[in-house]
Amino acid sequence: VRAHAPAGIELAPPRREVSTGPGRHDFEIVVDPTATVEEDLARRDFTVNAMARRLADGMLVDPFGGRDDLAHSVLRTVTPQGFAEDPLRIVRGLRFVSQLGLEPEEETLRQMREEAASVALVSGERIGGGLAADGLGELSKLLLGTQPAKALRLARDTGVLVELLPEFARSIGFDQESRYHSLTVDEHTFAVVQAAADLGLPLRVRLAALFHDLGKPHVAWRGDDERLHYYARPGYADKSHEQVSGELAAAALSRLRYPTELRNRVVRIVRSHMIDPGRGDGLRARKLLSRYGSGVLFDLLDHKEADLRGKGDPPPLEDIEKVQRFREVVEREQQNPYRLSDLAVDGDDLIAAGFKPGPALGQTLRDLLADVVSHPDHNTRDYLLRKAGELR
């Protein structure tokens, strides 16, 4: 079996389901060994998933034309009640748009629009955090597809997106009125998510791309230049857009039951996505490495490039190249000290030199690290012990 199906084979007995309410769990499930394969396939979500092959003779059982729909990249529901029976199927259909490039036919689009509100009834785990064997929910799989922007636009246009992520409500159609952006917040967001997919970036960066600018409509204020601005300014906005975007991301990812570690990483990327390479020199690289750590910093640079690529057509190539050059600088500077563990002395060395355990010792180590980040050649035991004595 493994030779022919490396991922294994999932076995499920033929069942009949009777809906007893509007939610996915409001069903009475009856195992029925007498059900025919055609009856079993009639329970599937889409025609492309409603095919079977007889083991005895290899014959394809395809009562709903799934083979032809797959050949023509058509997404079609098996029954008009499919989305009402399980609203998660709407998000799964959008995932197939992203993964397989399928196009929902008109009746399926009508059903999506009609049942969009029912998406709110689906448990967060099934949409985001994932109850599947691979630990990925339907939204995660959609974002990891090759055409997420296409799927997200369909989600927006059918009303599914706001039901799935209410955090998007104020961003749809929001004109940024900025010389740096020619797209509305939602279109820019979709373009950045697509750029992240085109670059092959991991789920955490794609999730950050999805949320990174949603705070803009919440903090926008108009300056003397008659343009909208999105940074914090006393009397205008208490928080910057990246702070509010981080809060929205945290709320959504928590509701969708994403793992804590992933959630925290995504929120950190969102909150810091306005990172500036500055002059792009080694000192700037070491300071950012010390502040964020190498993992988060490379995520931020990945997101920065995707963000730039999603700013319009043509994208700002000079800025993109600047980020790419800075990435090379960061990669080189990793060999220099930028973490407390890289210092030539540690807390025990300072205690042996007369320091007492406590906050002051920790602050001294941080001060020594700042010195070494600025001057890597200072990272010697003799210099650091002498410097620590001066800081006491």
Side-chain angles (χ1 to χ4, degrees):
V1 170
R2 289 291 179 185
H4 293 284
I9 294 177
E10 181 180 340
L11 299 178
R15 297 177 297 172
R16 300 184 191 275
E17 294 182 354
V18 179
S19 177
T20 59
R24 173 62 183 93
H25 301 292
D26 298 323
F27 283 87
E28 180 182 354
I29 302 175
V30 180
V31 175
D32 183 1
T34 67
T36 66
V37 66
E38 288 82 5
E39 289 172 327
D40 189 64
L41 293 176
R43 295 178 50 254
R44 306 303 172 186
D45 47 12
F46 302 102
T47 60
V48 294
N49 278 340
M51 296 182 280
R53 189 174 296 281
R54 295 188 189 279
L55 297 180
D57 56 13
M59 174 183 152
L60 181 69
V61 182
D62 182 16
F64 303 102
R67 184 176 190 176
D68 189 58
D69 281 347
L70 187 60
H72 293 90
S73 298
V74 173
L75 184 70
R76 189 190 315 271
T77 53
V78 171
T79 68
Q81 299 80 34
F83 293 153
E85 292 174 354
D86 184 0
L88 182 68
R89 289 173 170 175
I90 299 175
V91 190
R92 185 179 304 136
L94 294 168
R95 186 247 291 187
F96 291 150
V97 171
S98 176
Q99 286 183 326
L100 305 175
L102 301 184
E103 290 277 359
E105 51 86 40
E106 191 54 43
E107 174 60 17
T108 298
L109 281 174
R110 186 194 66 77
Q111 293 169 25
M112 282 185 175
R113 286 191 291 268
E114 193 171 274
E115 296 293 336
S118 63
V119 170
L121 299 171
V122 183
S123 68
E125 291 89 346
R126 300 182 76 213
I127 292 174
L131 291 177
D134 56 10
L136 298 173
E138 295 295 345
L139 177 61
S140 298
K141 292 176 181 178
L142 183 159
L143 293 174
L144 288 171
T146 58
Q147 300 182 57
K150 179 180 178 180
L152 290 170
R153 288 190 182 97
L154 274 172
R156 175 196 62 195
D157 297 343
T158 55
V160 173
L161 183 59
V162 170
E163 298 295 340
L164 186 66
L165 295 169
E167 293 78 8
F168 258 93
R170 295 173 66 172
S171 295
I172 293 177
F174 185 87
D175 186 349
Q176 303 188 63
E177 298 184 33
S178 168
R179 62 181 178 273
Y180 303 111
H181 288 278
S182 61
L183 301 173
T184 57
V185 170
D186 54 330
E187 281 296 329
H188 167 66
T189 297
F190 302 157
V192 176
V193 172
Q194 186 61 54
D198 294 341
L199 291 168
L201 302 181
L203 177 62
R204 59 183 180 270
V205 180
R206 301 191 197 197
L207 281 166
L210 187 65
F211 292 103
H212 78 287
D213 271 356
L214 298 192
K216 283 187 171 181
H218 296 258
V219 305
W221 55 273
R222 195 172 298 281
D224 295 336
D225 57 0
E226 294 301 318
R227 293 182 180 275
L228 293 180
H229 300 277
Y230 307 100
Y231 55 87
R233 182 179 179 182
Y236 292 86
D238 294 332
K239 298 178 181 179
S240 66
H241 85 273
E242 59 267 31
Q243 289 176 297
V244 176
S245 296
E247 293 170 359
L248 294 172
L253 295 175
S254 178
R255 185 179 68 252
L256 298 180
R257 301 294 189 268
Y258 276 92
T260 301
E261 183 178 354
L262 175 60
R263 185 169 71 242
N264 291 342
R265 182 71 162 257
V266 171
V267 170
R268 194 172 185 197
I269 297 169
V270 172
R271 287 177 59 90
S272 301
H273 79 267
M274 294 297 288
I275 185 174
D276 182 7
R279 293 185 298 175
D281 58 359
L283 177 58
R284 181 63 172 163
R286 294 193 300 275
K287 285 185 175 180
L288 291 177
L289 280 166
S290 182
R291 179 176 179 180
Y292 295 109
S294 60
V296 173
L297 180 53
F298 282 117
D299 283 348
L300 287 169
L301 294 177
D302 284 341
H303 185 278
K304 189 75 172 180
E305 181 171 346
D307 195 2
L308 290 169
R309 291 183 181 276
K311 286 198 173 185
D313 188 16
L317 296 179
E318 185 176 340
D319 292 337
I320 293 172
E321 290 169 357
K322 181 179 179 182
V323 171
Q324 293 172 339
R325 289 194 300 271
F326 185 60
R327 169 184 283 279
E328 295 175 358
V329 175
V330 173
E331 289 173 347
R332 289 198 303 269
E333 290 299 328
Q334 286 185 97
Q335 65 185 347
N336 284 316
Y338 63 90
R339 299 164 294 194
L340 287 173
S341 59
D342 294 330
L343 289 175
V345 297
D346 58 20
D348 291 339
D349 294 318
L350 297 190
I351 291 173
F355 281 79
K356 293 182 179 180
L361 184 147
Q363 185 59 54
T364 299
L365 286 170
R366 289 190 290 274
D367 291 342
L368 293 178
L369 179 60
D371 186 315
V372 166
V373 166
S374 296
H375 307 282
D377 58 318
H378 287 181
N379 193 32
T380 66
R381 179 180 175 82
D382 290 343
Y383 173 85
L384 295 179
L385 288 176
R386 184 170 66 255
K387 182 69 175 180
E390 295 172 1
L391 294 172
R392 289 184 66 180

